[in-house]
Each structure stands twice: as structure tokens, then as C-alpha cells.
Amino acid sequence: MASPTVHPDAMTVMRRCDELAGFSEEPGRLTRRFATPALREAGEAVARWMREAGMTTRRDAIGNVVGRLGAREPGAPTLILGSHLDTVRDAGRYDGPLGVLVAIACVQRLRAAGVELPFAVEVVAFADEEGVRYGTAYLGSGVLAGRFDRAALERRDADGVRMADAIAAWGGDVDALGAERRDPAGVLGYCEVHIEQGPVLEGEGLPVGVVSAIAGQTRAQVVFAGSSGHAGTVPMDLRRDALTAAAQWILAVEVLARAEDRLVATVGEVEVEPGASNVVPGQVSLSLDVRHPRDEVRVDAAARLRERADAIARARGMRAWWSLVQETPAVACSAELADALGEAVADTGHPVGRLPSGAGHDAAVMAALGPVAMLFVRCAGGVSHHPAEAVDPADVAVAVEVLSGFVERLARRR
């Protein structure tokens, strides 16, 4: 049970995280993909809380929910806070929503205290960061940052629904996506609060940590094409089994990643055709996710894995195709904003921990608009992308206090 000394703002954030977890596509578990009724319902709840905090709200062309607290001075720049509302399948309730709700609590606290800001503050609840439905991430932040690839509009989900049709069906406007790009000249910066998704803060006994950099990411689809055949009549030496080729390549992915410090590579999706127990697999499609803090290492690793796929296919008398789905460069967080976050952490009486992020975040895309910063919140056991995801309300209280102090520091420096 939470301690009664935990600040009410943190308990409000926790309660709202629980409420958002009720908006799901699947009974009994949390799944909230892009452009779904569950995501719309979550966005409507967030918009209501934004208005309660004194912000005006709107839903943009891609479906991001935007709350704004204006500045007194016309033409003042905007500080953007936020994170995402979509989830992976069978998710935890804090990855993404915690950052949105901490930002709302921050705005509400500053407004209640009568703090006047020389800049506008916007809280953005991004409609897609995980990329679960269409296999390409950062749709929400990509639109704001001018990084949205319109070719993605033709992508189809597992049910055959085009992205363009899904956006239109849930009230978005495909034709207005380009107009949503923010002018970098009007953006003061972007700051995102997020659970760590790792065990470092817990190991160091720290409630929060300042992020130094975000690892780059390459996503690709790899297809091995062999020949289907009857499982009982095709001799082993005459088979062109696409699944055994894929299995050999998956192990090669693991070997390469283990050999390079801080490199991680994952095959998370495998689709086998025709997918029958008595048929030799004729084609296998796989996903590949490669990440590293240094872009040159990541790019080289992806190139080597592509060459390895081709070599395995040739040796087995079949073909391999490689399709780049998405590439996000590594991003260094702003030293100025990170220092301001660190000072705000120190003001709470906690040591200032700094750490890189191996996971991708909207901040990596928003860096195209201006300086970015991130604050990690300790999560139990480093568990994320899982229903067991958990945070301590006392740590959330620290995060609200740090983000509020961060905004006030920026205000004093302008």
C-alpha cells in the first residue's frame, strides 16, 4: 500500500494510469494500438484531464492529443512535454502514459502555484510510438517533427486495413498531416518522462535518472523464400526449407549481437507459410530490430546481417529479400536541458544519476525540432512491455517535482 506521505499529485497520476489501463482492445489484458477505439477513449480521458489542469485541447490530424497552456507574450516559444498513449500487446500500464500524466500534473501544479511562464507549454499524448499495428513506429511524433513518411499510408495491418483508411476512420485527416509539422524556430525544446525499462536505477537505489543519449535503431523485414513440399515425400537432401534457413539466420543474429559491446538485435516476429504441420515451409518472413548508441556500429551490424541472410539463402538454394522498415539515428540529449533536469533532481535531495537509453522514444524523433531531454523513472525489476510493469508512487512524486522544477528553471533563465 502506498505511503500516506506521498504527494496527492503522484497518487492522481497512479490512479489515472489505472484508469487508462481499462481502455483496451482485448479483455483481460492491455493492448491499445494506433487508430483504434481503445486509443480514442484513452485520448478523450487525457483531454479531459488536460482541461481540468487549465489547458486548451485539440486532436491533431494524426490523432495526437495536444493540451496547451499559453504564454502572456504573443509569439513566445513553446516547451513541449509528453509521451505516448499506444501500447504493445499485453502491455504494462506505465510505458508511455506515465510521461503524459506526469506532464499534466506538472502543468496543474505550476498553474495552481501561480507560476507565470515566459513561454507556452504543450503536453502531447502521441498516438503511436510503438508501431505495433503498422510495423513502423513514431507516427505521432513523426508528424510533429516533419519526419512522417507518406509512403507509410499505404501500409496495411494484419486485417488488411490501409493506414490512410484507419486514420480517416478514427477522425484524422491524411491531407493535413504535412501542415502539423512544427516550426523549429517556435520550439524551445522537448522533455519526456518515461519509465526506465531497465534495472540501472533500481540497482543504484535512485528514484529517477537523467538520460544522456538515446540509442539508434534499425528495423527491417527479412524474407527467406524456398519451396513448399509434402513433409513425408520430399527427401531431406532435396528440401529448400525456408524455416531452417530462417532459424540459422536467427542464431547468426544472436551471435553477432553478443560479440559487440552494447549492440542488441532482436527477431520478434516470424511468419511461416503455408504454416501446416505436414508441409515443408516455403517462405518465412521475419522482423529484425538492431540498436546501438553509435550509429556506425548499428549500420555496420545491419549490413552484416543482410549479407549473412543472402549467404545462407544461396547456400541452401533459395532467395532472401531485405526490406528496410525504419531507421532512427542515435540522439544525444541537450546538455543544457539535461543539466537543468539534473539541478531539479538535486533540489529534491536525491543524487543525480545519468544513463543512456537503449530503448527508442519519441524524444529521438522530436530532436529534429530542437533540443530534447528525458527523465527516467525507476521501474520494479527493470520490467517493461509486460503486465508486471510497476512503479513506486514515491518515485512518481519525485518525477512530478523534478519536471515542475525543470520548467521553473527554464522560466527563470529566459
Side-chain angles (χ1 to χ4, degrees):
M1 179 176 293
S3 167
T5 61
V6 173
H7 196 283
D9 288 349
M11 299 312 299
T12 297
V13 169
M14 297 296 290
R15 185 181 69 251
R16 289 173 173 176
C17 283
D18 291 341
E19 186 172 334
L20 288 182
F23 300 120
S24 176
E25 299 172 55
E26 300 178 284
R29 66 180 197 169
L30 175 54
T31 300
R32 196 165 55 232
R33 299 172 304 154
F34 172 64
T36 58
L39 187 61
R40 173 181 279 280
E41 292 172 348
E44 289 171 350
V46 165
R48 182 175 73 251
W49 297 327
M50 288 174 171
R51 290 190 291 270
E52 290 175 5
M55 290 179 272
T56 59
T57 63
R58 70 183 184 93
R59 190 168 173 270
D60 71 11
I62 192 72
N64 299 320
V65 178
V66 183
R68 182 177 177 87
L69 187 68
R72 289 184 177 274
E73 296 295 326
T78 300
L79 174 66
I80 303 175
L81 311 175
S83 194
H84 60 97
L85 288 182
D86 68 311
T87 74
V88 297
R89 294 183 179 90
D90 197 18
R93 61 189 61 194
Y94 302 108
D95 175 357
L98 180 69
V100 175
L101 299 176
V102 167
I104 294 173
C106 164
V107 170
Q108 190 153 18
R109 177 182 290 196
L110 294 174
R111 186 168 175 269
V115 177
E116 291 193 10
L117 301 174
F119 46 78
V121 174
E122 286 189 355
V123 176
V124 182
F126 291 113
D128 175 275
E129 187 258 11
E130 301 288 5
V132 172
R133 184 171 181 183
Y134 287 100
T136 182
Y138 313 118
L139 298 179
S141 52
V143 166
L144 262 67
R147 296 274 300 274
F148 181 81
D149 181 3
R150 291 190 66 86
L153 294 170
E154 298 303 316
R155 297 180 71 90
R156 294 181 182 271
D157 66 9
D159 297 318
V161 179
R162 280 196 323 147
M163 184 189 296
D165 296 333
I167 292 172
W170 89 312
D173 186 347
V174 171
D175 294 331
L177 293 178
E180 296 288 0
R181 179 184 182 272
R182 299 299 178 87
D183 180 0
V187 176
L188 181 62
Y190 172 77
C191 185
E192 180 172 357
V193 174
H194 204 282
I195 61 171
E196 181 195 350
Q197 300 178 280
V200 174
L201 293 176
E202 187 174 64
E204 296 182 356
L206 301 176
V208 297
V210 178
V211 177
S212 56
I214 303 168
Q217 180 182 28
T218 296
R219 289 187 177 188
Q221 181 185 43
V222 182
V223 178
F224 288 92
S227 295
S228 297
H230 195 290
T233 61
V234 180
M236 295 302 293
D237 60 346
L238 296 180
R239 293 188 179 195
R240 291 192 293 156
D241 186 331
L243 185 55
T244 56
Q248 183 179 350
W249 182 74
I250 291 171
L251 290 175
V253 171
E254 181 185 42
V255 169
L256 185 143
R258 286 180 177 273
E260 180 69 48
D261 183 43
R262 295 189 295 172
L263 178 69
V264 292
T266 305
V267 177
E269 296 178 342
V270 179
E271 182 178 344
V272 182
E273 298 178 14
S277 63
N278 61 347
V279 180
V280 177
Q283 180 168 299
V284 176
S285 300
L286 310 99
S287 66
L288 174 67
D289 183 314
V290 182
R291 308 187 194 206
H292 194 275
R294 290 172 50 203
D295 287 332
E296 61 270 26
V297 175
R298 170 181 53 82
V299 171
D300 177 69
R304 290 162 64 187
L305 290 174
R306 181 174 185 172
E307 292 171 357
R308 185 68 178 130
D310 288 337
I312 289 172
R314 285 195 305 270
R316 290 174 172 269
M318 59 184 73
R319 297 181 63 190
W321 287 276
W322 175 285
S323 176
L324 182 64
V325 175
Q326 187 168 359
E327 198 157 36
T328 305
V331 170
C333 290
S334 159
E336 180 182 356
L337 296 186
D339 286 347
L341 268 180
E343 291 164 7
V345 171
D347 285 346
T348 68
H350 294 283
V352 181
R354 296 179 184 264
L355 68 166
S357 173
H361 301 284
D362 288 304
V365 177
M366 293 295 285
L369 288 178
V372 299
M374 287 194 71
L375 182 74
F376 272 168
V377 180
R378 172 171 51 189
C379 57
V383 174
S384 182
H385 285 187
H386 188 277
E389 204 172 76
V391 295
D392 189 322
D395 293 351
V396 174
V398 173
V400 174
E401 187 174 353
V402 169
L403 188 62
S404 302
F406 166 78
V407 175
E408 287 191 80
R409 281 182 177 277
L410 294 186
R412 290 196 296 268
R413 292 174 181 178
R414 290 193 64 82

